[in-house]
Amino acid sequence: MPVPERLRRAHLIGIGGAGMSGIARILLARGGTVSGSDAKDSRAFMTLRAQGAAIAIGQDARNLDGSGDEPTAVIVSTAIKESNPELAAARARGIPVLHRADALALLMDGHTVACITGTHGKTSTTSMLTVALQHCRLDPSFAIGADLNESGANAHHGSGGMFVAEADESDGSFLSYAPSVAVITNIEPDHLDHHGTSEAYGATFDGFVSRIRADGVLVVCSDDPAAERLAGEAESRGLLADGVRVRRYGRTATGFTDARVLDYTAGGDEGGTVRLEMRGEEIDLIVPVAGEHMAFNAVAALLAGEELGAPQHELLEGLAAFSGVSRRFEFKGRAGAVRVYDDYAHHPTEVAAQLRAARHAADRGRVLVVFQPHLYSRTAAFAEEFAAALGLADEVVTLDVYGAREEPVPGVTGALISERITGAVAHYEPAFDRAAELAAGLARPGDLLITMGAGDVTQLGPEIIRQLDDRDTAPAVAHAREE
């Protein structure tokens, strides 16, 4: 399938981001000419450059001509400000500017589209669905907000007629899509820096379900009150297009639940098994990643895969072979008999869910977490909830806020959360460069340690492992010298 004419020569500002690099991958695979820029180099650039992208480090209006001719479109995300020199130059030169969601929607054209959204779990569910469809030899195109462990890629131009995409609700940009299959995992207030109120945030999901194509399907978790309420109101108020059906999954026992969860058996860090009732039959769904929340994501992927025409038994096999996605309880290594993981959780509900999963995986060991709050607005709004969630661990090291797109707010620091934690030993460490040493010093043999957050806390895992290695070998070295 050729690249859309509007995207024939695209320049992507912030090309190293998860969403932008995925679009670049697909454009290049479909024969487009791609240039882009970002503030710093990244691992993604190696692949993009090898595929032919012209990438500049730093922001400069001259970067628009990185491939030698005028772009047919400049692609941006919500994070790019109007003062950006490349965006300002594009406006001045009359070059069309597209939000990344609009660019992705153009790439979806001509495919059967499945979009997965929700406050939590959309990356994992999209990844599970993609891997399951690949196991069914359907080769879907996909765009995900993280790298699949199977391929190391966050996007792919497939040979099949399906396109699977993670749909971002944070800025309302998922309203650009018109899926045939839509999954809503859950709805809980978040991203209030953009939406303003919980009501406004929830209302965007009404708009999303109204975008589902005629004769399509909406898959929702019936256990989530907001998602179930939205589905019920969409059915009763006529928000759904002609022929759109609703399929539900969850523990809730109603006549409308298509996949009822009868039981979940945890298997430590090797995942678990979900016992399901579907169409009057009981089946086992093996999920090789830890946590009941991940098991529910797998059930959502199973229903969506069925709606895309894939055989149930092959989907079950594909889900059982899923090896995870980067930054979702990702195993980073073991040192000093301590297992180190990394996780993207940055909302209280996500933090609590992942710590419950970690408790099963830790067995008789303690759970330690190094948590980095993400965004000043989120930290201020949910400090109490974060503290309650982090209290599920045994020891917590709270870092300062990773501001991302926001300016610092006086009085809003990691201490706002740390001082409210009960049930766990709390440590506040405002110096990022001292966090790894502190965390390693707290760890004991048999512990499970997680670095957690949506910012650069992910960089600490390898350093913690090194610190643990140094601590483990230091006594042996000293003893050898004595001899």
Side-chain angles (χ1 to χ4, degrees):
M1 183 176 293
V3 69
E5 179 60 27
R6 292 177 65 187
L7 303 177
R8 175 179 49 80
R9 159 69 179 97
H11 180 83
L12 290 79
I13 305 176
I15 194 171
M20 299 291 269
S21 63
I23 291 172
R25 280 178 182 266
I26 296 173
L27 286 171
L28 290 164
R30 289 172 63 169
T33 301
V34 172
S35 65
S37 64
D38 217 316
K40 58 183 179 180
D41 209 342
S42 76
R43 188 179 65 179
F45 291 172
M46 185 180 299
T47 300
L48 294 177
R49 285 185 176 120
Q51 291 180 311
I55 299 175
I57 306 302
Q59 309 287 299
D60 192 300
R62 291 173 294 184
N63 294 337
L64 294 180
D65 300 315
S67 293
D69 55 351
E70 180 98 328
T72 57
V74 169
I75 302 173
V76 300
S77 69
T78 304
I80 305 301
K81 298 179 179 179
E82 287 293 328
S83 59
N84 181 284
E86 295 175 19
L87 177 54
R91 301 277 195 210
R93 290 162 59 173
I95 300 171
V97 176
L98 293 178
H99 188 279
R100 68 180 182 185
D102 295 321
L104 190 58
L106 287 172
L107 293 174
M108 292 174 176
D109 194 39
H111 295 79
T112 299
V113 177
C115 286
I116 293 84
T117 192
T119 310
H120 322 294
K122 51 186 172 287
T123 299
S124 296
T125 307
T126 310
S127 302
M128 289 175 174
L129 176 58
T130 298
V131 170
L133 292 173
Q134 289 174 332
H135 180 81
C136 298
R137 300 171 300 282
L138 294 172
D139 191 24
S141 297
F142 64 84
I144 308 172
D147 293 341
L148 291 175
N149 287 351
E150 280 80 2
S151 63
N154 62 343
H156 167 69
H157 171 54
S159 60
M162 299 176 190
F163 201 120
V164 179
E166 177 179 345
D168 184 11
E169 91 292 357
S170 67
D171 58 359
S173 61
F174 64 171
L175 298 178
S176 295
Y177 311 136
S180 293
V181 177
V183 177
I184 298 178
T185 56
N186 42 62
I187 305 172
E188 189 174 357
D190 198 8
H191 305 291
L192 302 186
D193 58 313
H194 176 83
H195 295 282
T197 65
S198 299
E199 292 74 18
Y201 175 76
T204 62
F205 288 90
D206 287 330
F208 178 70
V209 300
S210 70
R211 300 280 298 166
I212 301 172
R213 292 184 180 274
D215 298 319
V217 64
L218 169 64
V219 178
V220 298
C221 180
S222 56
D223 292 351
D224 183 80
E228 173 57 32
R229 184 167 56 251
L230 179 146
E233 290 180 355
E235 289 173 312
S236 63
R237 289 164 49 199
L239 295 178
L240 299 171
D242 290 342
V244 173
R245 295 170 291 113
V246 178
R247 297 196 70 186
R248 293 169 167 85
Y249 65 96
R251 293 187 183 276
T252 306
T254 74
F256 302 106
T257 302
D258 296 271
R260 187 159 71 93
V261 176
L262 302 175
D263 190 30
Y264 171 72
T265 304
D269 58 1
E270 296 180 356
T273 302
V274 187
R275 187 73 170 169
L276 289 175
E277 180 184 2
M278 294 183 68
R279 293 182 285 273
E281 296 184 5
E282 293 188 9
I283 61 172
D284 286 332
L285 168 57
I286 298 171
V287 186
V289 286
E292 185 171 329
H293 61 299
M294 286 293 191
F296 272 65
N297 293 339
V299 178
L302 175 63
L303 286 178
E306 285 187 343
E307 290 299 326
L308 290 168
Q312 184 190 86
H313 71 282
E314 292 189 29
L315 288 168
L316 291 170
E317 291 173 358
L319 291 167
F322 178 69
S323 64
V325 62
S326 65
R327 302 225 57 215
R328 272 65 179 180
F329 202 55
E330 180 183 6
F331 180 65
K332 305 302 291 186
R334 182 194 302 264
V338 177
R339 286 172 291 161
V340 178
Y341 290 80
D342 182 48
D343 196 85
Y344 190 70
H346 56 282
H347 183 282
T349 300
E350 297 165 355
V351 171
Q354 197 54 69
L355 288 178
R356 282 191 290 268
R359 181 65 67 190
H360 283 293
D363 194 13
R364 290 184 293 273
R366 300 183 309 154
V367 174
L368 281 64
V369 58
V370 181
F371 178 69
Q372 183 185 52
H374 183 259
L375 298 181
Y376 296 97
S377 57
R378 184 183 285 126
T379 302
F382 300 118
E384 293 283 356
E385 292 84 352
F386 274 123
L390 289 166
L392 296 173
D394 294 291
E395 294 208 46
V396 181
V397 176
T398 305
L399 307 180
D400 257 336
V401 180
Y402 184 85
R405 59 187 177 271
E406 294 184 345
E407 295 297 324
V409 176
V412 179
T413 69
L416 200 64
I417 294 171
S418 185
E419 64 192 14
R420 289 170 165 79
I421 294 174
T422 59
V425 179
H427 310 266
Y428 170 51
E429 180 49 79
F432 187 87
D433 58 356
R434 292 203 295 265
E437 183 178 3
L438 172 59
L442 296 171
R444 305 171 190 165
D447 287 350
L448 187 154
L449 189 153
I450 314 174
T451 57
M452 184 177 286
D456 56 4
V457 67
T458 185
Q459 299 173 10
L460 293 180
E463 178 59 19
I464 291 171
I465 292 170
R466 188 188 69 78
Q467 294 269 357
L468 289 167
D469 273 332
D470 289 348
R471 185 186 70 182
D472 203 35
T473 58
V477 172
H479 182 67
R481 286 173 180 168
E482 290 171 6
E483 294 180 344

